[in-house]
């Protein structure tokens, strides 16, 4: 029943911007921390960002701080990732995922199918 559907991916030139969305359903969205994770071609999974239930606290991979912004609209059950100053190395499939919900632990128990972001001329 839990569903996470990413959208907003596409092709963008280096230095450009893109905003990804993740539509959530099948669970109480506002009760869970959420994540963005990405996977570049031929590479492993890389954590991108985390947001708490209310959107007050956000966390980013060091290399992405200042360029990426995670946010959420609990009224719309939607998670966002604003990506600015995009680089070729940002090319990847971007996944949203929900936290498993146990206090004091972290982990993604449900994932979307991902949306492709390609940064190229």
């Amino acid at each position: 029943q839990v569903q996470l559907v990413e959208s907003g991916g596409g092709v963008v030139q280096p230095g450009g911007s893109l905003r990804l969305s993740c539509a959530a359903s099948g669970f109480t969205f506002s009760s869970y921390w959420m994540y963005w994770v990405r996977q570049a071609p031929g590479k492993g999974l890389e954590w991108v960002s985390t947001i708490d239930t209310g959107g007050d606290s956000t966390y980013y991979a060091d290399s992405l701080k200042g360029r990426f912004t995670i946010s959420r609209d609990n009224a719309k059950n939607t998670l966002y990732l604003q990506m600015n100053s995009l680089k070729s190395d940002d090319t990847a499939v971007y996944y949203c995922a929900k936290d498993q919900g146990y206090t004091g632990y972290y982990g993604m128990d449900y994932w979307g199918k991902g949306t492709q972001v390609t940064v190229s001329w």
Side-chain angles (χ1 to χ4, degrees):
Q1 188 174 4
V2 172
Q3 289 192 56
L4 299 169
V5 182
E6 302 93 339
S7 63
V11 180
V12 63
Q13 295 182 357
S17 298
L18 212 57
R19 188 173 82 155
L20 306 183
S21 298
C22 173
S25 61
F27 66 101
T28 305
F29 179 71
S30 61
S31 295
Y32 291 87
W33 289 43
M34 297 293 292
Y35 306 85
W36 284 101
V37 182
R38 69 184 184 183
Q39 185 170 38
K43 304 296 183 180
L45 295 168
E46 178 186 18
W47 170 72
V48 172
S49 186
T50 301
I51 191 168
D52 70 353
T53 55
D56 299 307
S57 297
T58 58
Y59 309 88
Y60 303 89
D62 287 341
S63 63
L64 304 179
K65 289 181 179 178
R67 296 195 299 119
F68 286 19
T69 303
I70 189 171
S71 62
R72 67 193 297 162
D73 187 337
N74 286 340
K76 296 181 178 179
N77 287 352
T78 303
L79 177 73
Y80 302 98
L81 183 68
Q82 178 66 47
M83 306 184 294
N84 299 324
S85 301
L86 286 163
K87 307 173 181 179
S88 295
D89 288 349
D90 294 321
T91 295
V93 175
Y94 284 73
Y95 301 92
C96 67
K98 71 175 287 289
D99 186 71
Q100 41 74 57
Y102 287 98
T103 302
Y105 300 87
Y106 63 89
M108 306 85 164
D109 61 355
Y110 288 93
W111 297 57
K113 293 182 179 180
T115 185
Q116 177 70 50
V117 172
T118 301
V119 184
S120 177
W121 290 102

